[in-house]
Amino acid sequence: MMLLQVDTTMVGQNAAETISLFELLTKGGWFMIPIFLLSMVAVFLFVERLIAISKAGKIDDNFIRTVKDYMIGGNREAAISVCQQEDTPTARMIEKGLKRLGKPIENIEAAIENVGQLELLQLEKRLAIIATIAGVAPMIGFLGTVTGMIRAFFNLSKAGTNIDPGLLAGGIYEAMVTTAAGLAVGIVAYLFYNILVGMVERVVYKMQATSTAFMDVLQEPV
């Protein structure tokens, strides 16, 4: 019975010492504010880029075939109209090539490549910000931990001979909160960045494949 009573008391103490996630995060101090803001920016940019890149990668399977049919029929304006209806990087590249018809093949290819480079810059827009957040957030967390540790040891030194281990332990665990939060935001932002980079690479592959098919159509014997 005595052993059971001790266990029950320990359980009661553990229950009393539990802390909610929100309360734990607030223990990190004001360093949690920039980390929280960086997390919001990372999520917003990820969703925005995810929508934009997904839209850019949607290409009708019959697109190049339809353009080819109009080109064979000598209806360049209709082919350009098909490109304008697509509103994708690939369609804008082909549209530029169609508008250069009649010029040397090298000029047409150069014009398509220039448009492709501009479209790639648009696809990669703001990705550098996400990559920066992935690196900066953990650094802010570490900085918060270091300043927290300094404050904890300073308070310990002021305690004199009345050293309380709980005073030091409490300061350390509060300081470590910023490191955990910064690392969490950094890891998520890094995943966001790599997901978007992979999507951009797939879109670029489609752009290259379609532009190559278009150049092959131009060089086919009539």
Side-chain angles (χ1 to χ4, degrees):
M1 292 296 293
M2 183 179 297
L3 180 60
L4 179 60
Q5 183 178 357
V6 172
D7 291 341
T8 304
T9 304
M10 294 179 63
V11 171
Q13 290 176 349
N14 291 335
E17 293 175 357
T18 59
I19 184 172
S20 67
L21 179 60
F22 177 77
E23 291 174 338
L24 182 63
L25 293 177
T26 56
K27 295 292 185 180
W30 70 269
F31 279 97
M32 296 298 296
I33 297 176
I35 293 176
F36 174 75
L37 293 176
L38 288 176
S39 68
M40 293 296 98
V41 173
V43 171
F44 171 79
L45 293 180
F46 174 73
V47 174
E48 186 271 335
R49 287 290 84 197
L50 183 67
I51 296 173
I53 298 173
S54 298
K55 180 180 178 182
K58 293 180 180 179
I59 302 175
D60 189 355
D61 295 336
N62 297 322
F63 169 70
I64 194 66
R65 186 180 301 109
T66 303
V67 172
K68 178 181 178 181
D69 292 339
Y70 281 125
M71 289 174 61
I72 294 175
N75 194 345
R76 185 177 69 169
E77 295 302 323
I80 293 176
S81 178
V82 171
C83 295
Q84 293 173 344
Q85 292 174 4
E86 285 292 314
D87 190 25
T88 61
T90 302
R92 285 187 283 272
M93 291 171 59
I94 303 304
E95 179 185 355
K96 193 68 174 181
L98 290 170
K99 291 181 178 179
R100 290 291 188 273
L101 288 180
K103 296 184 178 181
I105 195 71
E106 293 81 8
N107 293 351
I108 298 175
E109 188 172 5
I112 292 176
E113 289 179 357
N114 290 337
V115 174
Q117 291 296 327
L118 295 175
E119 294 294 339
L120 178 59
L121 290 176
Q122 290 297 317
L123 290 174
E124 294 178 339
K125 183 172 60 175
R126 302 189 184 94
L127 292 188
I129 299 177
I130 300 178
T132 301
I133 292 174
V136 170
M139 294 298 101
I140 295 177
F142 289 139
L143 180 60
T145 296
V146 171
T147 57
M149 294 285 288
I150 293 173
R151 185 166 55 253
F153 281 108
F154 176 79
N155 293 334
L156 189 63
S157 67
K158 289 296 183 180
T161 57
N162 299 322
I163 299 177
D164 182 7
L167 181 64
L168 180 60
I172 292 176
Y173 101 79
E174 290 179 8
M176 295 299 290
V177 170
T178 58
T179 296
L183 286 173
V185 173
I187 291 171
V188 172
Y190 184 71
L191 290 174
F192 284 171
Y193 174 77
N194 281 280
I195 290 172
L196 295 176
V197 167
M199 293 178 64
V200 169
E201 290 177 351
R202 288 191 291 272
V203 174
V204 170
Y205 173 78
K206 291 181 180 180
M207 292 166 59
Q208 292 175 341
T210 306
S211 62
T212 300
F214 174 74
M215 296 304 299
D216 291 341
V217 172
L218 294 182
Q219 299 180 63
E220 287 181 358
V222 181

